[in-house]
Every structure is written in C-alpha cells, then in structure tokens.
Amino acid sequence: MGGVAMNRKKEKQTTIRKKGIRLTLNVGVKLFLLFLISILLSVGITGVVSLSVSNNIIEQKSADSAYETIQQASAKVDTILEVYEQIVMQILSNINLHNDLYTATNERVEVYSQLTARNAVQDSLNRVAYSNNTIKNIALISSSEDISSFTTSSSSITEFDRESDWYQAIQAKQEFIWLHTRESGYTGANNSPQLAVGRLMKTNYGQQFVIIVEIDQRLLNDQVSGISLSESSSVYIVNENNELLHSEDPELVLQVAPLPIAKEGQMTVRGNDGQDYIVVSHFSEKAGWYVVGTAPVHELIKDTRIIRALLAWIVAGALLFAVVLSILIARSMGGPLRRLQALMMEGSSGNLNVRTNFKNRD
C-alpha cells in the first residue's frame, strides 16, 4: 500500500511539473511575442512613415524644381519667338518696301517700273528670309485678290486661301498671331511641318497685306533638346489638344503626347508602361501652347534608397534587440510563475509546508 501511495504522489508531482512547464511556456511565449511584436511594430511603423514622408518631400521638391525649369524653358522659347516678331516688324517698318509694293501693284504705272518694283519687293523679302536658316518662307498676301501677292518660296504659289481661319485671325487683329505647327505649313510652299507668325500690314498707301513668316518646326527641337529633369526625362511642346508641335522624327509631329498635360502646373500620372511620372507644364501666353516636362518618379526619389537601406539596418537591429529583450523578460517573469504554480499545485494536494523565496515586491 505504501508503494502505491508513493507512486501516486510521484505521478501527481510529475503532472504538476508538466502543467507548470506548460503554463510557463504559454506565458513565456506570449510575453516573448508581445514584446517582440510591439518593438518591431513601433520601429517598422516609424520607419515606413519616415520613408513615406521623405519620399513625398523629395518628390514634391523635385516637382517644384522641374516646374521652375519648365517655366524657364518656356520663357526661353518666348524670347526666341520675339526674334521672329522683330523680323516681321522689320518688314512692317520698311518704308522702301511700302513704296515698292505700291508701285508693283499700281496698274497706272508703266510695266517696267512695276517689274522693277516687284523685283525690289522680292529682294527685300529674300534678304530677310536668307538671314535666318529656320525661316522656310515669307509671304505678303494682299487682302484683295486683284492685287499681287509675294512669297520667297521657289514653288509657284498663285493662290492663297483668304477664307481660312488663320488668315481671318491675322486680318482681324493688329497684333502678332502665332500659328501652331501644321504638317505642310500654311502657304503650301513646303511639305515639311512648320509653325508661323503673322501680322496685318497696312502700307502708307492704304493697301493691306497679311505678312506670314513660316518657320521650321525644328526650331522648337533646338530650344528644348538640352533640358533634362532626370536621366530619362522628356521635355516637349504641345498644343491644347496635347499634340506634339515638334519632334526629331517628323512623323511624330502632331501625334498625341504619351502623357496628359498638367494644366494646373504639376501632377503625377501612371504611364502605359506602368510607371508613375511627374508631369509639369507651363502655358505660353504668347504662343498659346504648353511647354511640358515629364520624369519617372523613381528617378526623382532615387536618393531615398539610402533611407531605405538605413531603415533595413535599423529594423534588423531592432529585431535582434527585441528577441534578446523578449527572452530576458519572458524568463524573468515566466520562471517565478512556474515555481509559484508548482508550489500552489503542491499546496492544493495537501502539502501546506511549501514556501516561496521571492524577494521582489510584485
């Protein structure tokens, strides 16, 4: 009988130890996971928020810088356009040209004087056209079909469309009118894409002519080709329909640009390639077009890779620290709990002589 009692007592003590170990494991694991997850979450959330804020700040600063660059590019283009306006003014203010036009178109003047005057008009226009290699044609189009018109083009242009929108727009205003790139120009003198500037000319003799200076679209290429916002950025000029007004490839002229216009100045859009792009644009009041710059977002925020690398090291260090701290806390609390559990289980079995030796006051 005594042996049976001893065996039962041993089995009970074993059961108590197993339960104590199970409780200790459960409490220890919970404490371990609690501190580990708490530390990792706090460090991870802080790092992710910091990285996101850094990305947003750098992206916004880059967009602001890009917008300033596009504003400067737009102002540069407008300055170049003023050169062609001055060329038109040079024609308008040429008194000799006024006299020659009157003589060349006056039927009461002898034929020889008319021919001489026509040649003089032609020479005046040719000198201006030859002074700038981007000028493809200069035309003086009379408002009356009965009066001869003049052009520097070598092609034989005998008729002009005086009912066209661009002609009517120039004739209706006493100011410079900029005409956006058209596939074959406006007078039909060339087959290449050209933009143009025009103005109404009233001679000293009451005659009216529309001056139109047609310009090679490659002029716009030259103004934006050297501008870079990032490694693979693009800077171009489009009309209000987002059609390219210039390109190194003439076949792309008047094709729709791959990204929309940022009519509010700046925006971020996703391209057809799945990448996010910053798009900045500036509207030219002079020409009525948009100078647009685009750049991939990942190129603008590439400096945040340092922050991401630093964040990875911080998280790794926090993980190691969290593991060590969680183990220490789990042991410091789980061990006494296990001993206390065992003593209480012995007490519940009838052994009231058990005592604790804990010195902590918790």
Side-chain angles (χ1 to χ4, degrees), residues 9 11 21 41 62 90 115 123 145 155 177 199 204-205 216 218 251 260 264 276 300-301 318 338-339 343 357 361:
K9 186 175 181 180
E11 290 177 358
I21 292 172
L41 277 178
S62 299
Q90 180 182 341
L115 291 176
D123 289 341
E145 296 182 0
S155 61
I177 302 294
R199 183 160 180 168
N204 296 336
Y205 300 93
D216 194 326
R218 287 178 293 183
E251 293 185 0
E264 299 300 323
D276 288 333
L300 298 177
I301 62 174
R338 181 189 64 200
R339 291 194 296 273
L343 293 174
N357 58 355
R361 300 181 64 83

Side-chain angles (χ1 to χ4, degrees), residues 274-286:
Q275 295 189 46
D276 288 333
Y277 288 83
I278 285 179
V279 181
V280 293
S281 62
H282 184 264
F283 181 72
S284 170
E285 297 288 348
K286 177 184 290 293

Side-chain angles (χ1 to χ4, degrees), residues 111-333:
V111 175
Y112 177 78
S113 297
Q114 286 185 3
L115 291 176
T116 302
R118 287 185 64 85
N119 290 335
V121 171
Q122 198 67 50
D123 289 341
S124 296
L125 298 180
N126 287 339
R127 280 195 300 270
V128 175
Y130 295 156
S131 66
N132 191 315
N133 59 9
T134 61
I135 295 178
K136 306 300 289 185
N137 182 43
I138 299 176
L140 286 176
I141 307 172
S142 171
S143 58
S144 173
E145 296 182 0
D146 298 329
I147 298 178
S148 300
S149 299
F150 300 87
T151 176
T152 61
S153 172
S154 57
S155 61
S156 56
I157 305 174
T158 57
E159 295 184 1
F160 295 94
D161 185 6
R162 293 175 174 82
E163 300 301 322
S164 61
D165 293 339
W166 64 267
Y167 186 91
Q168 294 295 326
I170 295 173
Q171 196 172 40
K173 295 183 178 181
Q174 284 285 357
E175 60 186 35
F176 293 104
I177 302 294
W178 277 96
L179 306 174
H180 293 173
T181 303
R182 180 177 285 189
E183 187 173 353
S184 298
Y186 288 84
T187 63
N190 295 279
N191 293 324
S192 58
Q194 298 161 42
L195 63 152
V197 58
R199 183 160 180 168
L200 180 65
M201 174 182 180
K202 293 182 179 180
T203 70
N204 296 336
Y205 300 93
Q207 297 173 310
Q208 287 190 3
F209 292 85
V210 164
I211 304 175
I212 181 169
V213 178
E214 295 180 288
I215 307 163
D216 194 326
Q217 61 88 26
R218 287 178 293 183
L219 167 74
L220 302 182
N221 291 348
D222 297 339
Q223 306 312 312
V224 301
S225 60
I227 301 173
S228 176
L229 306 179
S230 69
E231 295 177 1
S232 58
S233 64
S234 298
V235 179
Y236 49 84
I237 299 174
V238 295
N239 58 21
E240 61 182 5
N241 296 323
N242 201 24
E243 296 171 336
L244 292 169
L245 299 181
H246 67 99
S247 175
E248 295 291 347
D249 183 358
E251 293 185 0
L252 296 180
V253 177
L254 299 180
Q255 298 296 314
V256 177
L259 295 173
I261 303 171
K263 294 191 176 181
E264 299 300 323
Q266 303 177 22
M267 69 178 183
T268 301
V269 297
R270 177 151 295 184
N272 294 329
D273 56 1
Q275 295 189 46
D276 288 333
Y277 288 83
I278 285 179
V279 181
V280 293
S281 62
H282 184 264
F283 181 72
S284 170
E285 297 288 348
K286 177 184 290 293
W289 58 40
Y290 291 88
V291 179
V292 180
T294 67
V297 172
H298 73 270
E299 291 183 0
L300 298 177
I301 62 174
K302 62 181 181 181
D303 291 340
T304 58
R305 287 181 295 186
I306 299 174
I307 300 176
R308 286 197 296 269
L310 182 61
L311 176 61
W313 282 105
I314 291 175
V315 171
L319 175 61
L320 179 61
F321 174 76
V323 169
V324 174
L325 182 63
S326 299
I327 291 174
L328 292 177
I329 292 176
R331 285 184 175 181
S332 66
M333 297 180 68

Side-chain angles (χ1 to χ4, degrees), residues 7 12 34 39 43 46 53-54 59 66 79 101 137 139 144 152 175 187 237 271 277 281 297 312 326 338 348 354:
N7 289 335
K12 186 178 292 186
L34 176 64
I39 293 174
V43 173
T46 302
V53 171
S54 300
E59 181 178 337
T79 300
L101 282 172
N137 182 43
S144 173
T152 61
E175 60 186 35
T187 63
I237 299 174
Y277 288 83
S281 62
V297 172
S326 299
R338 181 189 64 200
S348 67
V354 294

Side-chain angles (χ1 to χ4, degrees), residues 343-356:
L343 293 174
M344 292 181 70
M345 292 295 290
E346 285 191 31
S348 67
S349 65
N351 183 10
L352 302 179
N353 294 321
V354 294
R355 296 289 184 273
T356 66

Side-chain angles (χ1 to χ4, degrees), residues 18-50:
K18 288 182 178 178
K19 290 182 178 179
I21 292 172
R22 189 181 305 118
L23 176 64
T24 303
L25 288 176
N26 289 339
V27 173
V29 170
K30 289 178 180 179
L31 289 172
F32 175 83
L33 293 177
L34 176 64
F35 282 97
L36 179 64
I37 293 172
S38 298
I39 293 174
L40 287 182
L41 277 178
S42 60
V43 173
I45 291 174
T46 302
V48 170
V49 170
S50 300

